Amino acid sequence: MNTPITVLGFAGSLRKNSCNKALLRVAKELMPQDAKLETFDLEGIPPFNQDLEDKMPERAKEFKAKIREADAILIATPEYNYSIPGVLKNAIDWASRPYGDNSFEGKPVAIMGASGGRLGTARAQYHLRQTFVCLNMHPINRPEVFVDQAGEKIDKDGKLIDEPTRKIIRELLENLIVWTRRLGKK
Ligand SMILES: Cc1cc2nc3c(=O)[nH]c(=O)nc-3n(C[C@H](O)[C@H](O)[C@H](O)COP(=O)(O)O)c2cc1C
C-alpha cells in the first residue's frame, strides 16, 4: 500500500456559491484512494504588507503552514479581468514570504477553473502558471481543466451536473497523484 498523499486545495473566490468552490467539492469526492484532499478557505487573509512578513497575521500563517504540510497543491481559480483574482494572488504572496522561506518551494500543483465565459479561465490559468515559475513549483500540464459556461454545468445548489467535467477532474487528480509520487514527495 502506498503512503497516502495529502493535497491542499483552495479556491480563488470568497463567494459562498462560488463555482470554483464547487469544483473543489467534486475533487474531494473524486480523489484517488491513496490520497486525500483538504481544503482551505482564503477568507480572512488580510492584504499583503511586506512590513508584516516576519510577524504574519494569524490567518496568513495558518495558510502558509497548511501549504507547507501538504504533499501537493490543487488550485481552483476564477478569472477576473483576464487574470487571477486578487484574493488568490494575495494569499500566494503571503505564503511565499519572507524571502528564502517560500512554502510552495518544489511542490507539485494542479489547476482547474470555472467561469461564466467561453474560455473557462484559460487566461487566468496561464498567468498562474507564470507565477509557478517564480515559486519553483512543478505544475502538471495536462489535462487543462477549463470549465466554461459554468452556470450550465453547476446547478443552483452548487452541484456539478456535467459528466465530461467530472471525468476530466478525475483525470487531473489521478495525474497529480502520479506526478507527486514521481517527484518523490511520497
Ligand atoms: C471582477 C470580475 C471580473 C471578471 N472577469 C472575468 C473574466 O475576465 N473572464 C471570465 O470568464 N469571467 C469573468 N468574470 C465572471 C466570473 O467568471 C464569474 O463571476 C465566476 O462565477 C467567478 O467565479 P466564482 O463563482 O468561483 O466566484 C468576472 C467577475 C468579476 C467579479
Side-chain angles (χ1 to χ4, degrees):
M1 223 327 241
N2 284 326
T3 323
I5 285 176
T6 302
V7 179
L8 186 78
F10 49 94
S13 173
L14 304 181
R15 218 161 68 80
K16 195 163 145 276
N17 295 323
S18 157
C19 41
N20 287 282
K21 287 183 180 174
L23 296 188
L24 279 184
R25 285 194 297 276
V26 173
K28 226 171 203 171
E29 261 175 57
L30 299 177
M31 212 64 192
Q33 271 199 338
D34 56 345
K36 71 170 188 314
L37 177 66
E38 283 181 17
T39 54
F40 191 95
D41 197 313
L42 302 184
E43 181 73 58
I45 298 182
F48 180 77
N49 178 346
Q50 198 178 356
D51 289 339
L52 301 179
E53 63 181 17
D54 290 314
K55 39 182 187 318
M56 265 189 205
E58 220 31 63
R59 190 71 181 148
K61 216 192 279 179
E62 237 180 279
F63 178 59
K64 185 173 175 183
K66 285 286 180 192
I67 299 287
R68 182 144 277 148
E69 283 164 21
D71 301 307
I73 307 296
L74 173 67
I75 303 178
T77 186
E79 180 171 281
Y80 277 8
N81 296 313
Y82 290 10
S83 189
I84 64 174
V87 288
L88 176 58
K89 184 63 164 52
N90 182 62
I92 289 173
D93 290 343
W94 276 118
S96 70
R97 297 295 297 180
Y99 181 75
D101 191 26
N102 162 25
S103 62
F104 293 106
E105 174 69 39
K107 305 255 182 204
V109 59
I111 328 173
M112 53 189 182
S115 82
R118 277 184 298 139
L119 293 184
T121 74
R123 291 163 293 218
Q125 290 195 30
Y126 289 122
H127 281 184
L128 192 51
R129 283 182 189 274
Q130 182 174 328
T131 304
F132 295 156
V133 178
C134 186
L135 296 172
N136 196 29
M137 298 186 82
H138 302 297
I140 57 168
N141 293 329
R142 296 204 186 101
E144 293 185 297
V145 180
F146 301 140
V147 183
D148 63 336
Q149 311 201 338
E152 293 170 16
K153 295 173 180 167
I154 296 166
D155 72 13
K156 60 174 183 20
D157 300 319
K159 191 169 182 303
L160 180 66
I161 49 173
D162 185 63
E163 197 47 45
T165 304
R166 283 180 81 85
K167 192 163 169 265
I168 201 170
I169 292 175
R170 183 181 287 119
E171 193 189 326
L172 178 79
L173 299 173
E174 285 167 357
N175 288 3
L176 177 63
I177 299 313
V178 169
W179 183 225
T180 302
R181 294 212 188 275
R182 197 182 295 167
L183 290 174
K185 298 293 174 190
K186 264 290 158 73

